[in-house]
Amino acid sequence: MKYLCLVYLDENRLDELPDEECVAYDRSIRASGQCIASEALQSVQSATTVRVRSGKLAVTDGPFAETKEQLAGFYMIEAVDLNEAIQVAAKIPPARVGSIEVRPIRPIRESVAAAEARQQGHKQSL
Amino acid sequence: MSDEQSGQAQAMVDAVYRSESRRVLATLIRLLGDFDVAEEAMHDAFRAALEQWPRDGVPSNPRTWLVSAGRFKAIDAIRRHSRLTPLEEVADAVESIAAQTQGTDDDGIEDDRLRLIFTCCHPALSPDAQVALTLREVCGLTTEEIASAYLTPAPTLAQRIVRAKAKIREARIPYQVPAPSELLERLDSVLRVIYLVFNEGYSASSGASQTRHDLSGEAIRLARLLVVLLPEPEPEAEGLLALMLLHESRREARNLPNGDLVLLDDQDRSLWKRELIAEGCALAERALSSRRFGAYALQAAIAAVLAEAPSAAETDWPQIVGLYDVLLRFAASPVVALNRAVAVAMRDGPEFGLTLIDALLDQGELADYRWAHAARADLCRRLGRKEDARSAYLRALELTRQLPERRFLERRLAELDR
C-alpha cells in the first residue's frame, strides 16, 4: 500500500536540519526500496495558487492557507500498513522539528479502470 | 417448535451471546479483515444458532461453531454480492477466508481480543473515536447506550464510529498486537482510553448517572481483561486497575443520598468496600515492586495508603508526600503539585500547605482550577483566616458548574459564619 508522507516545517527552523542529513536519509530509504518518490520544495514564498472559477483563471501569490508550518517536501512510500508507514515517517529528519502528515493513497485509477471494465462486461453480456 | 421451546432456545442463545459475542467478533474481524463485514457475519451466525441449536443441540464448543458459521455466512454474502464485483476478486476473497483455519483455537481467540483492544485504541484515531469504538466493539455497548452515557446525540456518536472504521480500513490500521518494542507506547494509549471511560462514569452527577456508573464498571472489566491478556505482566496496567478499584471502593461513601459530595476526611469509612481495597492494594504493591512502574502505579499506591488508614488523622501523610514527590518526577503537572501541597498541609500543618498553594496559584496555570481555590479556602479556614477563606470559596464557586460541587462549596461558605 502507498502512503504519501507530507513534511511540514516552520521555514524559520530549516537551518536546524542540515541538507546533508536529509539527503543521507533520502539515500537510505531509496536504497531500501521503500521509497517511490521524494522531493524537497522551494520556500513557500515562491508558491503560486491557481484557481478556475466560472471558467475564469485566478492566480494569486502565496500558498492556499497561511499556517505556522509549511509544506517543505514529501516522500511517497510503500508500506504494508499504517504502523509501518508511521515507523518510516518517524525517521524522516524533519519529524524532529516539524511534523509529518501520513496519508494513504486512494487508488483512483484502479477503481475507475475497474468500473470501466464492469461496464464493458455488462455491455457484452447483453 | 412450541412457544416454550423457542423461548428456551432464545434464552440459551442470549446467554452465549453475552459471554461469547465479543470473542467471536474479535476473531471474525481478523478472518474477514473488516469490522462491518465481521459484525454482519456474527449476527448471521447467531441467527443460525437460534434456528439450529434447538433442533440439533448446543455444540460442544459454541464459540468455534459461531466463528465457523460466521465465516461461511460471510462467504455467502460475498457470493451474493458477486454480481457487482469482478469474478476473480470474489474467488480471491472466498479463498483467503476459507484458507485461514489457523488461530481459531482458544489461544488464538484470546489474542484476537487483545488485537481488537489495540486496534480500537490506535493513536491514529481521535481520542473520542477510540473511546466510542472501544465501548462499542470491545465492551459490546450499543450506540444508544454510549450516546446516553456521554450525553451525546446518538447520530453524532454513530457517525464517530463509522468514521473511525473508515479510517481503519482506508489508512490500513493493522489488526495486531504491537511488537514488544512498541508495546509500552501503545499501551499508554489503551490505558488512557480505559481511564477516560472510568472517570466519565466516576464523576457522574447528572440525571443520566445510572448509565454513567456502568461506564466505571466497563472500565474495570476492560482493565481486568487487559491484565489477563497481556503476554507479560505490565505494572502500569496493573497500576491502573488498582487505582480504579481503590476509587471504586469509596463510591458509596463519597456522595450523600441526595447527591451531595463528601470529602475523604468526612467519609463514613464503614461504607468503603473492603474487598475492592484489598485487591487494589495487592495489585498496587505488585506493580510498585516491579521497578518498572509509572504514574498509574504511583497514583494507585497513594490511593492505597489513603484506603488503608483507619481515619484521616491516622493516615501515613509522610509516605503520601514521598509518593507525590516521585509522581512529580514521572508526571509533573500543576494538579499533582496541588495534591502534594494538600498532603504537606496534612503532614506539617495548614500554613505549610498554604505557602505551596499560593506559589502554585502565582504561577498562573491553576488560576481557573476550582479545586485549587477550594483547597486554599479550606486551609485558610483551618488557620482562622475567615475573610481569605470566604473570598477563595467564592472564587471556587464562580468556577464550578456541577450542582453537587456547588452545594458542597455553598455549605462550606455558610459554615464559616457559625
Side-chain angles (χ1 to χ4, degrees):
Chain A
M1 173 129 156
K2 286 181 200 152
Y3 295 86
L4 184 62
C5 299
L6 295 145
V7 177
Y8 285 90
L9 194 62
D10 180 347
E11 289 186 351
N12 297 319
R13 300 188 61 185
L14 210 55
D15 48 355
E16 292 173 43
L17 291 161
D19 280 355
E20 292 73 18
E21 189 191 342
C22 294
V23 170
Y25 175 73
D26 189 57
R27 276 187 193 134
S28 75
I29 190 175
R30 278 171 180 258
S32 77
Q34 237 175 342
C35 181
I36 297 163
S38 59
E39 295 296 347
L41 304 182
Q42 292 285 6
S43 156
V44 74
Q45 289 176 16
S46 66
T48 304
T49 299
V50 176
R51 290 182 182 84
V52 177
R53 294 290 181 275
S54 318
K56 223 177 136 225
L57 173 67
V59 176
T60 46
D61 170 44
F64 168 63
E66 293 280 355
T67 48
K68 219 172 132 207
E69 293 188 333
Q70 294 87 29
L71 186 62
F74 69 87
Y75 288 85
M76 172 83 88
I77 61 160
E78 181 71 45
V80 291
D81 57 35
L82 183 64
N83 282 4
E84 195 178 292
I86 290 171
Q87 296 299 320
V88 172
K91 292 192 198 89
I92 298 175
R96 291 199 319 267
V97 178
S99 52
I100 317 293
E101 182 176 324
V102 179
R103 295 277 293 268
I105 294 301
R106 183 159 67 98
I108 185 169
R109 281 183 299 275
E110 290 81 348
S111 54
V112 168
E116 284 168 355
R118 273 201 298 276
Q119 199 98 43
Q120 206 62 39
H122 187 63
K123 268 184 205 152
Q124 278 170 5
S125 68
L126 280 180
Chain B
M1 212 182 339
S2 73
D3 280 358
E4 194 191 333
Q5 273 175 322
S6 84
Q8 277 174 355
Q10 178 78 51
M12 189 168 66
V13 175
D14 279 354
V16 175
Y17 186 88
R18 272 192 301 278
S19 65
E20 300 292 348
S21 67
R22 295 302 110 191
R23 288 190 181 90
V24 171
L25 178 69
T27 297
L28 285 174
I29 293 173
R30 172 169 57 80
L31 295 173
L32 304 173
D34 184 280
F35 277 69
D36 290 328
V37 173
E39 207 153 317
E40 204 186 314
M42 179 188 72
H43 287 296
D44 285 346
F46 274 98
R47 254 193 297 280
L50 203 51
E51 283 170 23
Q52 294 179 31
W53 294 3
R55 194 180 62 217
D56 308 337
V58 181
S60 60
N61 188 338
R63 190 192 296 166
T64 317
W65 189 97
L66 287 160
V67 167
S68 152
R71 276 169 63 197
F72 288 117
K73 294 287 175 188
I75 292 174
D76 285 351
I78 291 168
R79 289 204 173 116
R80 261 201 317 280
H81 296 134
S82 64
R83 276 169 302 156
L84 304 171
T85 323
L87 214 53
E88 298 148 63
E89 278 179 42
V90 176
D92 283 355
V94 169
E95 204 167 304
S96 81
I97 293 169
Q100 300 204 40
T101 49
Q102 86 230 90
T104 50
D105 57 349
D106 283 357
D107 275 357
I109 283 179
E110 292 307 289
D111 286 351
D112 287 335
R113 302 182 86 190
L114 202 52
R115 285 190 184 100
L116 184 57
I117 293 172
F118 275 104
T119 304
C120 291
C121 298
H122 198 285
L125 301 171
S126 74
D128 280 354
Q130 291 176 36
V131 167
L133 204 60
T134 302
L135 288 172
R136 177 81 194 84
E137 308 298 332
V138 184
C139 303
L141 267 57
T142 64
T143 305
E144 289 70 24
E145 284 168 336
I146 305 167
S148 109
Y150 280 86
L151 311 175
T152 306
T156 309
L157 207 111
Q159 196 176 38
R160 202 174 283 164
I161 292 175
V162 167
R163 285 205 186 125
K165 286 178 182 168
K167 176 151 190 191
I168 289 173
R169 194 167 45 238
E170 283 158 11
R172 199 178 286 180
I173 292 178
Y175 196 59
Q176 58 186 211
V177 177
S181 61
E182 293 159 42
L183 188 78
L184 278 188
E185 247 179 280
R186 293 282 309 280
L187 187 61
D188 266 359
S189 169
V190 174
L191 297 180
R192 197 176 313 119
V193 167
I194 296 177
Y195 201 33
L196 272 176
V197 171
F198 180 83
N199 279 326
E200 193 68 31
Y202 195 66
S203 56
S205 55
S206 56
S209 62
Q210 195 45 53
T211 42
R212 310 189 91 201
H213 285 184
D214 292 346
L215 286 180
S216 299
E218 288 300 338
I220 289 174
R221 264 194 291 281
L222 262 173
R224 280 190 199 285
L225 182 65
L226 189 67
V227 166
V228 171
L229 291 179
L230 284 168
E232 304 267 331
E234 291 299 340
E236 280 295 88
E238 290 172 350
L240 175 61
L241 176 56
L243 179 62
M244 295 191 300
L245 290 169
L246 289 162
H247 281 320
E248 187 67 20
S249 73
R250 296 198 285 267
R251 180 189 289 283
E252 270 180 50
R254 67 196 274 277
N255 292 102
L256 295 175
N258 66 1
D260 279 5
L261 278 182
V262 187
L263 287 197
L264 191 68
D265 291 8
D266 308 324
Q267 287 177 7
D268 174 358
R269 292 179 186 227
S270 71
L271 293 175
W272 291 4
K273 294 257 170 26
R274 290 291 140 195
E275 69 283 4
L276 295 182
I277 291 175
E279 192 189 353
C281 289
L283 276 164
E285 208 170 299
R286 203 166 83 188
L288 275 194
S289 66
S290 75
R291 311 215 157 269
R292 289 194 298 131
F293 56 81
Y296 289 120
L298 281 164
Q299 291 174 80
I302 292 166
V305 176
L306 290 171
E308 281 176 326
S311 70
E314 293 164 274
T315 304
D316 189 349
W317 294 110
Q319 199 188 350
I320 290 184
V321 173
L323 287 165
Y324 271 122
D325 287 336
V326 186
L327 181 58
L328 273 173
R329 288 211 298 271
F330 276 90
S333 86
V335 173
V336 173
L338 173 68
N339 289 331
R340 181 183 174 275
V342 172
V344 167
M346 295 302 288
R347 184 187 65 180
D348 302 337
E351 64 276 25
F352 293 95
L354 192 58
T355 311
L356 292 174
I357 291 181
D358 283 342
L360 281 167
L361 282 170
D362 283 346
Q363 286 168 19
E365 277 182 273
L366 292 179
D368 293 331
Y369 186 59
R370 58 194 187 279
W371 292 117
H373 296 282
R376 180 171 202 280
D378 189 52
L379 296 183
C380 288
R381 177 183 63 84
R382 284 200 255 160
L383 289 166
R385 289 165 51 180
K386 259 191 187 183
E387 283 320 300
D388 289 334
R390 188 187 315 281
S391 61
Y393 277 131
L394 287 171
R395 179 76 188 118
L397 261 174
E398 278 173 20
L399 296 166
T400 300
R401 262 168 280 145
Q402 269 189 308
L403 201 57
E405 286 180 18
R406 289 196 66 87
R407 282 205 302 264
F408 167 79
L409 292 168
E410 281 162 358
R411 213 164 56 230
R412 281 287 161 113
L413 201 53
E415 281 166 7
L416 279 182
D417 296 322
R418 263 187 230 149

mmCIF file of all heavy atoms in Angstrom, chain B residues 191 227 234-246 280 283-284 287-288 294-301:
data_model
loop_
_atom_site.group_PDB
_atom_site.id
_atom_site.type_symbol
_atom_site.label_atom_id
_atom_site.label_comp_id
_atom_site.label_asym_id
_atom_site.label_seq_id
_atom_site.Cartn_x
_atom_site.Cartn_y
_atom_site.Cartn_z
ATOM 1 N N LEU B 191 -4.423 2.469 28.000
ATOM 2 C CA LEU B 191 -4.700 2.799 29.406
ATOM 3 C C LEU B 191 -5.414 4.143 29.509
ATOM 4 O O LEU B 191 -6.313 4.322 30.336
ATOM 5 C CB LEU B 191 -3.394 2.825 30.208
ATOM 6 C CG LEU B 191 -2.648 1.490 30.284
ATOM 7 C CD1 LEU B 191 -1.362 1.631 31.100
ATOM 8 C CD2 LEU B 191 -3.510 0.389 30.890
ATOM 9 N N VAL B 227 -5.149 -6.955 31.750
ATOM 10 C CA VAL B 227 -4.135 -7.523 32.645
ATOM 11 C C VAL B 227 -3.990 -9.028 32.376
ATOM 12 O O VAL B 227 -2.887 -9.566 32.341
ATOM 13 C CB VAL B 227 -4.504 -7.243 34.124
ATOM 14 C CG1 VAL B 227 -3.683 -8.104 35.070
ATOM 15 C CG2 VAL B 227 -4.280 -5.766 34.439
ATOM 16 N N GLU B 234 2.309 -6.166 32.983
ATOM 17 C CA GLU B 234 2.684 -4.767 32.762
ATOM 18 C C GLU B 234 2.276 -3.957 33.986
ATOM 19 O O GLU B 234 1.092 -3.776 34.245
ATOM 20 C CB GLU B 234 2.006 -4.211 31.504
ATOM 21 C CG GLU B 234 2.515 -4.794 30.194
ATOM 22 C CD GLU B 234 3.999 -4.522 29.969
ATOM 23 O OE1 GLU B 234 4.556 -3.593 30.597
ATOM 24 O OE2 GLU B 234 4.602 -5.257 29.160
ATOM 25 N N PRO B 235 3.275 -3.448 34.752
ATOM 26 C CA PRO B 235 2.969 -2.752 36.009
ATOM 27 C C PRO B 235 1.983 -1.600 35.832
ATOM 28 O O PRO B 235 1.153 -1.377 36.711
ATOM 29 C CB PRO B 235 4.331 -2.221 36.460
ATOM 30 C CG PRO B 235 5.335 -3.045 35.751
ATOM 31 C CD PRO B 235 4.722 -3.545 34.501
ATOM 32 N N GLU B 236 2.050 -0.869 34.720
ATOM 33 C CA GLU B 236 1.142 0.254 34.567
ATOM 34 C C GLU B 236 -0.300 -0.210 34.352
ATOM 35 O O GLU B 236 -1.235 0.458 34.784
ATOM 36 C CB GLU B 236 1.605 1.178 33.433
ATOM 37 C CG GLU B 236 2.716 2.115 33.860
ATOM 38 C CD GLU B 236 2.246 3.110 34.923
ATOM 39 O OE1 GLU B 236 2.324 2.749 36.123
ATOM 40 O OE2 GLU B 236 1.811 4.197 34.572
ATOM 41 N N ALA B 237 -0.486 -1.336 33.672
ATOM 42 C CA ALA B 237 -1.845 -1.867 33.507
ATOM 43 C C ALA B 237 -2.395 -2.322 34.861
ATOM 44 O O ALA B 237 -3.542 -2.036 35.212
ATOM 45 C CB ALA B 237 -1.844 -3.022 32.506
ATOM 46 N N GLU B 238 -1.539 -2.994 35.638
ATOM 47 C CA GLU B 238 -1.945 -3.409 36.985
ATOM 48 C C GLU B 238 -2.193 -2.184 37.861
ATOM 49 O O GLU B 238 -3.137 -2.145 38.650
ATOM 50 C CB GLU B 238 -0.861 -4.288 37.619
ATOM 51 C CG GLU B 238 -0.765 -5.650 36.955
ATOM 52 C CD GLU B 238 0.439 -6.453 37.438
ATOM 53 O OE1 GLU B 238 1.303 -5.884 38.144
ATOM 54 O OE2 GLU B 238 0.517 -7.651 37.110
ATOM 55 N N GLY B 239 -1.330 -1.176 37.699
ATOM 56 C CA GLY B 239 -1.469 0.054 38.485
ATOM 57 C C GLY B 239 -2.789 0.747 38.193
ATOM 58 O O GLY B 239 -3.481 1.197 39.106
ATOM 59 N N LEU B 240 -3.158 0.824 36.908
ATOM 60 C CA LEU B 240 -4.419 1.476 36.557
ATOM 61 C C LEU B 240 -5.604 0.701 37.127
ATOM 62 O O LEU B 240 -6.528 1.294 37.680
ATOM 63 C CB LEU B 240 -4.561 1.605 35.031
ATOM 64 C CG LEU B 240 -5.910 2.158 34.571
ATOM 65 C CD1 LEU B 240 -6.148 3.563 35.106
ATOM 66 C CD2 LEU B 240 -6.006 2.156 33.050
ATOM 67 N N LEU B 241 -5.559 -0.620 37.017
ATOM 68 C CA LEU B 241 -6.648 -1.433 37.579
ATOM 69 C C LEU B 241 -6.751 -1.192 39.088
ATOM 70 O O LEU B 241 -7.840 -0.978 39.626
ATOM 71 C CB LEU B 241 -6.409 -2.922 37.266
ATOM 72 C CG LEU B 241 -7.423 -3.904 37.877
ATOM 73 C CD1 LEU B 241 -8.846 -3.568 37.463
ATOM 74 C CD2 LEU B 241 -7.088 -5.345 37.469
ATOM 75 N N ALA B 242 -5.584 -1.173 39.760
ATOM 76 C CA ALA B 242 -5.566 -0.927 41.215
ATOM 77 C C ALA B 242 -6.169 0.435 41.533
ATOM 78 O O ALA B 242 -7.020 0.573 42.420
ATOM 79 C CB ALA B 242 -4.127 -1.004 41.732
ATOM 80 N N LEU B 243 -5.749 1.436 40.771
ATOM 81 C CA LEU B 243 -6.227 2.802 41.019
ATOM 82 C C LEU B 243 -7.752 2.876 40.895
ATOM 83 O O LEU B 243 -8.434 3.462 41.741
ATOM 84 C CB LEU B 243 -5.566 3.750 40.007
ATOM 85 C CG LEU B 243 -5.949 5.225 40.074
ATOM 86 C CD1 LEU B 243 -5.570 5.821 41.409
ATOM 87 C CD2 LEU B 243 -5.285 5.998 38.932
ATOM 88 N N MET B 244 -8.289 2.250 39.865
ATOM 89 C CA MET B 244 -9.732 2.305 39.641
ATOM 90 C C MET B 244 -10.485 1.532 40.727
ATOM 91 O O MET B 244 -11.530 1.972 41.201
ATOM 92 C CB MET B 244 -10.075 1.762 38.249
ATOM 93 C CG MET B 244 -9.504 2.632 37.124
ATOM 94 S SD MET B 244 -10.129 2.215 35.476
ATOM 95 C CE MET B 244 -9.627 0.532 35.313
ATOM 96 N N LEU B 245 -9.954 0.373 41.141
ATOM 97 C CA LEU B 245 -10.603 -0.409 42.196
ATOM 98 C C LEU B 245 -10.648 0.385 43.501
ATOM 99 O O LEU B 245 -11.646 0.380 44.221
ATOM 100 C CB LEU B 245 -9.859 -1.736 42.419
ATOM 101 C CG LEU B 245 -9.974 -2.770 41.293
ATOM 102 C CD1 LEU B 245 -8.985 -3.917 41.530
ATOM 103 C CD2 LEU B 245 -11.396 -3.318 41.211
ATOM 104 N N LEU B 246 -9.536 1.095 43.784
ATOM 105 C CA LEU B 246 -9.471 1.857 45.039
ATOM 106 C C LEU B 246 -10.425 3.050 45.010
ATOM 107 O O LEU B 246 -11.064 3.367 46.004
ATOM 108 C CB LEU B 246 -8.024 2.285 45.306
ATOM 109 C CG LEU B 246 -7.106 1.115 45.690
ATOM 110 C CD1 LEU B 246 -5.643 1.484 45.529
ATOM 111 C CD2 LEU B 246 -7.381 0.656 47.121
ATOM 112 N N GLY B 280 -7.126 -3.963 45.270
ATOM 113 C CA GLY B 280 -6.396 -2.793 44.758
ATOM 114 C C GLY B 280 -5.033 -2.651 45.415
ATOM 115 O O GLY B 280 -4.031 -2.400 44.742
ATOM 116 N N LEU B 283 -2.599 -5.332 44.112
ATOM 117 C CA LEU B 283 -2.144 -5.016 42.751
ATOM 118 C C LEU B 283 -1.148 -3.850 42.759
ATOM 119 O O LEU B 283 -0.128 -3.884 42.057
ATOM 120 C CB LEU B 283 -3.337 -4.636 41.868
ATOM 121 C CG LEU B 283 -4.126 -5.765 41.231
ATOM 122 C CD1 LEU B 283 -5.468 -5.246 40.734
ATOM 123 C CD2 LEU B 283 -3.330 -6.358 40.054
ATOM 124 N N ALA B 284 -1.442 -2.823 43.557
ATOM 125 C CA ALA B 284 -0.566 -1.651 43.613
ATOM 126 C C ALA B 284 0.813 -2.056 44.128
ATOM 127 O O ALA B 284 1.843 -1.621 43.605
ATOM 128 C CB ALA B 284 -1.177 -0.573 44.508
ATOM 129 N N ALA B 287 2.676 -3.935 41.435
ATOM 130 C CA ALA B 287 3.147 -3.035 40.385
ATOM 131 C C ALA B 287 4.377 -2.259 40.847
ATOM 132 O O ALA B 287 5.367 -2.143 40.122
ATOM 133 C CB ALA B 287 2.028 -2.079 39.972
ATOM 134 N N LEU B 288 4.334 -1.737 42.080
ATOM 135 C CA LEU B 288 5.449 -0.931 42.588
ATOM 136 C C LEU B 288 6.709 -1.768 42.770
ATOM 137 O O LEU B 288 7.820 -1.297 42.547
ATOM 138 C CB LEU B 288 5.087 -0.293 43.920
ATOM 139 C CG LEU B 288 4.336 1.038 43.879
ATOM 140 C CD1 LEU B 288 4.377 1.687 45.244
ATOM 141 C CD2 LEU B 288 4.920 1.983 42.848
ATOM 142 N N GLY B 294 5.022 3.331 36.697
ATOM 143 C CA GLY B 294 4.889 4.700 36.208
ATOM 144 C C GLY B 294 3.803 5.419 36.977
ATOM 145 O O GLY B 294 3.512 5.064 38.128
ATOM 146 N N ALA B 295 3.205 6.397 36.315
ATOM 147 C CA ALA B 295 2.292 7.307 37.001
ATOM 148 C C ALA B 295 1.052 6.595 37.548
ATOM 149 O O ALA B 295 0.565 6.942 38.620
ATOM 150 C CB ALA B 295 1.883 8.431 36.065
ATOM 151 N N TYR B 296 0.517 5.594 36.828
ATOM 152 C CA TYR B 296 -0.697 4.932 37.322
ATOM 153 C C TYR B 296 -0.418 4.151 38.601
ATOM 154 O O TYR B 296 -1.181 4.197 39.557
ATOM 155 C CB TYR B 296 -1.285 3.991 36.268
ATOM 156 C CG TYR B 296 -1.922 4.706 35.099
ATOM 157 C CD1 TYR B 296 -1.454 4.514 33.814
ATOM 158 C CD2 TYR B 296 -2.996 5.573 35.295
ATOM 159 C CE1 TYR B 296 -2.037 5.170 32.738
ATOM 160 C CE2 TYR B 296 -3.578 6.231 34.229
ATOM 161 C CZ TYR B 296 -3.095 6.032 32.947
ATOM 162 O OH TYR B 296 -3.665 6.682 31.896
ATOM 163 N N ALA B 297 0.685 3.413 38.610
ATOM 164 C CA ALA B 297 1.011 2.611 39.791
ATOM 165 C C ALA B 297 1.266 3.521 40.995
ATOM 166 O O ALA B 297 0.867 3.196 42.119
ATOM 167 C CB ALA B 297 2.226 1.730 39.506
ATOM 168 N N LEU B 298 1.895 4.675 40.749
ATOM 169 C CA LEU B 298 2.159 5.598 41.862
ATOM 170 C C LEU B 298 0.861 6.186 42.411
ATOM 171 O O LEU B 298 0.678 6.298 43.624
ATOM 172 C CB LEU B 298 3.091 6.722 41.398
ATOM 173 C CG LEU B 298 4.564 6.318 41.320
ATOM 174 C CD1 LEU B 298 5.354 7.329 40.509
ATOM 175 C CD2 LEU B 298 5.157 6.194 42.730
ATOM 176 N N GLN B 299 -0.041 6.558 41.504
ATOM 177 C CA GLN B 299 -1.330 7.087 41.977
ATOM 178 C C GLN B 299 -2.097 6.011 42.739
ATOM 179 O O GLN B 299 -2.780 6.292 43.720
ATOM 180 C CB GLN B 299 -2.172 7.579 40.805
ATOM 181 C CG GLN B 299 -1.599 8.823 40.139
ATOM 182 C CD GLN B 299 -2.398 9.190 38.895
ATOM 183 O OE1 GLN B 299 -3.446 9.794 38.984
ATOM 184 N NE2 GLN B 299 -1.912 8.791 37.738
ATOM 185 N N ALA B 300 -1.959 4.761 42.268
ATOM 186 C CA ALA B 300 -2.621 3.660 42.973
ATOM 187 C C ALA B 300 -2.019 3.492 44.368
ATOM 188 O O ALA B 300 -2.738 3.256 45.341
ATOM 189 C CB ALA B 300 -2.477 2.364 42.176
ATOM 190 N N ALA B 301 -0.692 3.639 44.473
ATOM 191 C CA ALA B 301 -0.043 3.496 45.779
ATOM 192 C C ALA B 301 -0.544 4.570 46.744
ATOM 193 O O ALA B 301 -0.809 4.294 47.923
ATOM 194 C CB ALA B 301 1.474 3.592 45.618
#
